[in-house]
Amino acid sequence: MPEGMGCETFNNVTRIVITDQHAGAYFEFYSGSGRLGSWHGPVKPCEQSLTRAADFGPLGSLWFACEDGLWRMWLDEAKQLSQQPERLMKLDNLELFAVDSEPPAYSNLIGLAKIRGSLVAIEKRGDRYTLAGTISAPAKNWI
């Protein structure tokens, strides 16, 4: 059963990703003329942990929230993923996340994560990703 979804449009192609924590992630592409191929997956970069969520990041990357942190794989022109996942951040108890596929040049913020029930900002400093701090949530039991 799907537990997470993400999407973005890049170069007039909409990319969709659906996550199942046990099976991994599946992704698909659509253009104005319809579906471009079939579902790809499952993709499971999380080694021994569960895949909590997946989303499309900058420059054609696919990001994964695993119980042990954030991971990234690259998509090439043929819509194939790189062979080896890359761990971007080690994080314990990562539950959910969302990443901006086109982060603005004026900000280091690249996404949000839910860790132990708290909403946390993720920022990029040089080649490193770090937690920028917690963000106030709309209500006590908001997620």
Side-chain angles (χ1 to χ4, degrees), residues 3 95-98 112-120 135 137-143:
E3 287 132 352
E95 300 171 55
L96 295 171
F97 87 109
L112 300 173
K114 181 184 174 196
I115 302 171
R116 292 186 194 98
S118 295
L119 186 61
V120 181
I135 299 172
K140 185 175 180 173
N141 295 318
W142 61 283
I143 292 183

Side-chain angles (χ1 to χ4, degrees), residues 1 9 23 27-28 35 39 48 52 56 104 120 127 135 142:
M1 172 182 285
T9 300
F27 59 97
E28 177 59 286
R35 193 170 162 184
W39 285 98
Q48 302 301 320
R52 296 290 190 192
F56 290 101
V120 181
D127 290 336
I135 299 172
W142 61 283

Side-chain angles (χ1 to χ4, degrees), residues 33-98:
S33 60
R35 193 170 162 184
L36 301 173
S38 60
W39 285 98
H40 302 269
V43 179
K44 190 171 182 180
C46 299
E47 296 179 353
Q48 302 301 320
S49 65
L50 298 175
T51 305
R52 296 290 190 192
D55 199 2
F56 290 101
L59 304 173
S61 57
L62 187 56
W63 290 40
F64 301 87
C66 302
E67 289 177 309
D68 62 350
L70 281 178
W71 293 75
R72 173 177 64 192
M73 295 178 82
W74 294 97
L75 285 164
D76 63 19
E77 293 295 321
K79 301 174 185 68
Q80 299 298 313
L81 285 167
S82 60
Q83 295 300 317
Q84 296 298 319
E86 170 189 11
R87 185 187 303 207
L88 300 175
M89 291 179 69
K90 180 171 175 29
L91 292 170
D92 292 327
N93 300 307
L94 181 59
E95 300 171 55
L96 295 171
F97 87 109

